[in-house]
Amino acid sequence: MLTRKQYELLMFIHERLKEAGVPPSFDEMKEALDLKSKSGIHRLITALEERGFIRRLPHRARALEIIRMPESVAPGLAGARTRGFAPSVIEGSLGKPPAAAPLPQPQAVSEDRTVAIEIPVMGRIAAGTPISAIQTQSHTIHVPPEMVARGEHFALEVRGDSMIEAGILDGDTVIIRRTDAADTGDIVVALIDDDEATLKRLRRKGASIALEAANPAYETRIFGPDRVRIQGRLVGLIRQY
């Protein structure tokens, strides 16, 4: 039997993993449950782990795995909602490049929700020192339809460690929904000066745009609005082991 707070935290972690593939940070969990300190979150996570609902993965920042869910919904909690962003991690291979066939253009998501969706991999994206702008499509991968909403999507291979506290590691493949608009707090693909692309959390500071890392080793970079173009928003993540 879970307490109300334990249940709410489990549901919050579950929704984040389902939507985004990465667990929320301790600050996000504290805010979602309206707790005053992170120590309360530590106690709740320990309790959930002891009861066999979650497992902490060693040597990885913010790595939580849900092992099982409650058999029934606790009374009064059926309508509880949690808030916040979050991309689902798929374990397995990333797929292989096609032989010599012409590379397809990015495709809109099909309305058939029973088959995997093919999306293009458009090169590498920096989660660290910026690299050149998004490259030509290299190959395609298949993702489950529940991982992507309607719209046009593409994938990028992550290089660097500046987003590790957001659960995005070097070597991951991120799924991006193509859009030129994003809200503050979203993790986005940003093109700086039409020359270098990077994966960062978007913050708006007055008329300026801040691109914030999720690693204290990296500084937040602030630009004028005419120097940054949003090319997409993170919606999913694939990890190969």
Side-chain angles (χ1 to χ4, degrees):
M1 181 74 178
L2 297 178
T3 67
R4 182 184 183 88
K5 287 296 185 184
Q6 290 167 0
Y7 180 88
E8 288 179 350
L9 180 59
L10 184 62
M11 290 300 102
F12 183 56
I13 295 171
H14 172 70
E15 287 190 10
R16 281 300 191 88
L17 287 171
K18 182 179 178 181
E19 294 171 6
V22 292
S25 68
F26 274 62
D27 284 327
E28 291 167 333
M29 288 187 272
K30 178 170 69 74
E31 180 182 352
L33 271 67
D34 196 25
L35 296 179
K36 294 182 179 180
S37 69
K38 293 182 184 178
S39 61
I41 295 297
H42 279 286
R43 287 194 295 270
L44 291 173
I45 286 178
T46 299
L48 289 171
E49 190 172 30
E50 290 175 347
R51 287 163 173 77
F53 288 97
I54 66 173
R55 177 171 61 191
R56 280 181 275 203
L57 304 178
H59 312 304
R60 286 163 54 187
R62 260 178 57 175
L64 295 174
E65 178 182 36
I66 292 181
I67 300 174
R68 66 186 180 95
M69 297 294 290
E71 294 182 3
S72 60
V73 178
L77 295 179
R81 297 287 300 174
T82 53
R83 61 183 181 278
F85 162 81
S88 10
V89 174
I90 300 177
E91 300 180 12
S93 65
L94 292 176
K96 298 181 179 179
L103 295 172
Q105 295 301 311
Q107 298 294 316
V109 173
S110 166
E111 296 198 12
D112 182 355
R113 313 300 288 177
T114 63
V115 296
I117 305 299
E118 185 178 61
I119 63 174
V121 179
M122 305 297 289
R124 297 176 177 176
I125 185 72
T129 304
I131 56 176
S132 60
I134 295 176
Q135 303 156 21
T136 306
Q137 175 182 327
S138 59
H139 59 284
T140 61
I141 58 173
H142 290 82
V143 300
E146 61 269 18
M147 193 176 194
V148 291
R150 292 178 181 174
E152 190 176 305
H153 294 74
F154 60 92
L156 294 165
E157 297 174 355
V158 175
R159 290 294 177 266
D161 62 355
S162 74
M163 297 302 289
I164 57 174
E165 291 191 3
I168 303 170
L169 309 182
D170 182 59
D172 286 347
T173 297
V174 289
I175 309 302
I176 306 296
R177 183 179 184 219
R178 193 180 296 275
T179 179
D180 58 5
D183 297 325
T184 189
D186 286 345
I187 296 177
V188 301
V189 172
L191 187 62
I192 304 168
D193 295 330
D194 290 325
D195 181 56
E196 52 186 47
T198 189
L199 183 73
K200 292 291 183 291
R201 193 177 298 278
L202 175 72
R203 302 287 186 194
R204 299 191 186 277
K205 298 180 179 291
S208 299
I209 292 177
L211 299 178
E212 179 182 274
N215 182 336
Y218 293 84
E219 295 183 352
T220 297
R221 304 175 69 196
I222 300 177
F223 302 92
D226 58 333
R227 295 185 59 193
V228 176
R229 287 195 296 119
I230 305 302
Q231 295 199 313
R233 180 174 62 84
L234 177 67
V235 297
L237 182 146
I238 298 173
R239 179 164 298 148
Q240 179 175 344
Y241 294 95

